[in-house]
């Protein structure tokens, strides 16, 4: 007989995530029973100019059964962590923005590869799937619970995006259709980080982004490589995000991401309160932690927030 904690682990999914999961399932069934809809819904670079809407629709259905199962389950579980912290509106906005930007980058990359190689496969290969958004959501998990160990695998959450990309790149050498999913995963990870780093609005402070050193681009890489990555990342940071720096300075941050005097205390307090509320709700719903350990876990979680 299963315990209430284990049972609640597989329940209590948010309504928004259930609705999005239903969209993924319906989308998969649609393309399976009506294959003629694929050219109109999937991203096919040669047809994107007249069918521009597929930059949006391509992310909301899967072409394979295992793809829709993985996407649906991953969305439901990651949504349980992220939606209570971000809010439903911001969670949905994140999914829409990351999905659109990811497939826009995939489209531009496919066109560029065609002109470089003159291989028409890049023009007519159908790109579809929710895995780009899932890669972005993993970045969100890295942000809010970086030091939390993932159940079963015992890996800290901050390494999940990096491990996912490494495994995907490694598997691409042994699979024939890697071009259909690898660019989406890479761009989904980067667009998720870019949005959270510079553009996500924090409702409690009205600030944008997360300028902390713990969420820098180099944190996706091992410590050994960070001295090499940081100077390169800073160049693109100044080239592409100078305007975001100015905004951060206006709201209490320097261009290096450090808080200005007087801003750190209030911001840290707000973040801790928000993390405490999210943790409290999680413990109340899942009941996975014995009462005598809740205070200890809450203290650890607040330190990571």
């Amino acid at each position: 007989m299963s315990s209430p904690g284990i049972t609640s682990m597989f329940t209590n999914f948010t309504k928004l995530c259930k609705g999005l999961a239903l969209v993924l399932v319906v989308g998969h069934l649609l393309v399976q029973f009506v294959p003629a809809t694929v050219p109109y819904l999937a991203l096919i670079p040669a047809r994107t100019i007249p069918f521009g809407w597929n930059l949006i629709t391509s992310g909301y259905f899967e072409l394979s059964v295992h793809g829709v199962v993985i996407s649906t389950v991953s969305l439901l579980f990651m949504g349980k962590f992220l939606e209570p912290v971000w809010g439903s509106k911001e969670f949905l906005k994140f999914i829409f923005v990351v999905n659109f930007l990811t497939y826009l980058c995939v489209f531009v990359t496919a066109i560029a590869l065609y002109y470089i190689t003159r291989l028409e496969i890049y023009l007519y290969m159908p790109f579809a799937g929710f895995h780009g958004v899932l890669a972005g959501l993993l970045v969100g998990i890295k942000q809010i619970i970086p030091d939390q160990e993932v159940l079963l695998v015992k890996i800290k959450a901050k390494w999940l995006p990096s491990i996912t990309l490494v495994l995907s790149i490694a598997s691409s050498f042994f699979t024939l259709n890697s071009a259909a999913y690898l660019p989406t995963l890479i761009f989904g990870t980067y667009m998720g980080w870019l949005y959270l780093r510079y553009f996500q609005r924090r409702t409690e402070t009205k600030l944008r982004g997360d300028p902390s050193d713990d969420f820098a681009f180099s944190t996706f890489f091992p410590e050994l490589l960070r001295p090499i990555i940081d100077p390169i990342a800073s160049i693109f940071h100044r080239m592409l995000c100078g305007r975001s720096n100015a905004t951060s300075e206006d709201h209490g941050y320097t261009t290096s991401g450090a808080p200005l005097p007087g801003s750190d205390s209030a911001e840290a307090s707000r973040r801790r309160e928000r993390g405490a509320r999210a943790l409290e709700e999680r413990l109340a719903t899942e009941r996975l932690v014995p009462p005598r350990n809740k205070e200890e876990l809450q203290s650890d979680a607040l330190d990571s927030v």
Side-chain angles (χ1 to χ4, degrees):
M1 190 172 180
S2 61
S3 65
I6 299 298
T7 302
S8 63
M9 180 180 176
F10 295 96
T11 57
N12 300 324
F13 300 118
T14 67
K15 292 182 179 179
L16 177 58
C17 287
K18 290 178 182 178
L20 291 171
L22 180 62
V23 170
L24 294 176
V25 173
V26 171
H28 173 70
L29 294 176
L30 178 63
V31 298
Q32 291 299 312
F33 290 103
V34 190
T37 59
V38 172
Y40 297 95
L41 297 178
L43 173 64
I44 300 177
R47 301 180 179 180
T48 297
I49 298 303
F51 301 154
W53 60 80
N54 58 33
L55 289 171
I56 298 174
T57 59
S58 52
Y60 299 108
F61 72 94
E62 295 283 352
L63 295 173
S64 64
V65 175
H66 69 272
V68 73
V69 171
I70 293 174
S71 294
T72 301
V73 173
S74 300
L75 170 63
L76 290 173
F77 278 96
M78 285 195 282
K80 289 180 68 174
F81 285 97
L82 295 173
E83 189 181 342
V85 177
W86 291 350
S88 298
K89 183 178 179 180
E90 179 59 34
F91 184 74
L92 187 61
K93 179 182 177 183
F94 176 88
I95 289 176
F96 179 83
V97 171
V98 170
N99 177 70
F100 174 75
L101 293 179
T102 295
Y103 279 99
L104 180 63
C105 291
V106 169
F107 168 72
V108 173
T109 302
I111 296 298
L113 287 174
Y114 166 72
Y115 280 108
I116 293 172
T117 64
R118 292 296 173 176
L119 296 176
E120 292 190 354
I121 186 176
Y122 294 115
L123 292 181
Y124 295 99
M125 176 183 298
F127 295 92
F130 198 66
H131 38 280
V133 174
L134 294 179
L137 292 177
L138 280 179
V139 179
I141 296 293
K142 167 187 171 71
Q143 182 193 38
I144 66 169
I145 50 171
D147 295 319
Q148 180 72 38
E149 288 189 347
V150 180
L151 188 65
L152 298 180
V153 293
K154 299 299 181 181
I155 296 174
K156 289 187 176 182
K158 63 182 178 181
W159 294 115
L160 288 179
S162 303
I163 292 173
T164 300
L165 286 182
V166 170
L167 292 178
S168 299
I169 292 172
S171 65
S172 68
F173 293 101
F174 306 99
T175 56
L176 298 176
N177 63 337
S178 60
Y181 67 85
L182 189 57
T184 312
L185 288 172
I186 294 173
F187 287 124
T189 301
Y190 184 71
M191 290 303 157
W193 174 81
L194 196 69
Y195 178 83
L196 294 174
R197 179 72 166 173
Y198 297 107
F199 302 108
Q200 186 184 54
R201 182 178 293 277
R202 302 181 193 174
T203 56
E204 75 277 14
T205 61
K206 305 302 181 184
L207 301 180
R208 286 187 179 274
D210 181 355
S212 64
D213 291 337
D214 293 334
F215 197 56
F217 183 70
S218 60
T219 61
F220 287 87
F221 298 86
E223 291 277 355
L224 183 66
L225 297 177
R226 291 180 189 178
I228 302 173
I229 300 297
D230 277 328
I232 300 174
S234 65
I235 295 174
F236 288 96
H237 179 83
R238 290 193 295 268
M239 288 173 55
L240 302 177
C241 304
R243 185 176 179 183
S244 184
N245 282 339
T247 303
S248 296
E249 288 178 358
D250 291 340
H251 290 290
Y253 289 97
T254 64
T255 54
S256 63
L260 292 172
S263 64
D264 185 34
S265 178
E267 171 64 10
S269 177
R270 293 188 187 98
R271 292 183 66 186
R272 290 176 190 274
E273 290 175 4
R274 191 177 184 185
R277 289 196 301 269
L279 177 62
E280 204 172 297
E281 292 172 1
R282 179 185 168 196
L283 291 175
T285 55
E286 296 190 3
R287 298 179 182 176
L288 292 176
V289 182
R292 63 179 181 277
N293 292 333
K294 286 186 180 180
E295 291 182 3
E296 181 180 350
L297 178 59
Q298 184 170 356
S299 176
D300 294 341
L302 292 180
D303 290 340
S304 67
V305 176

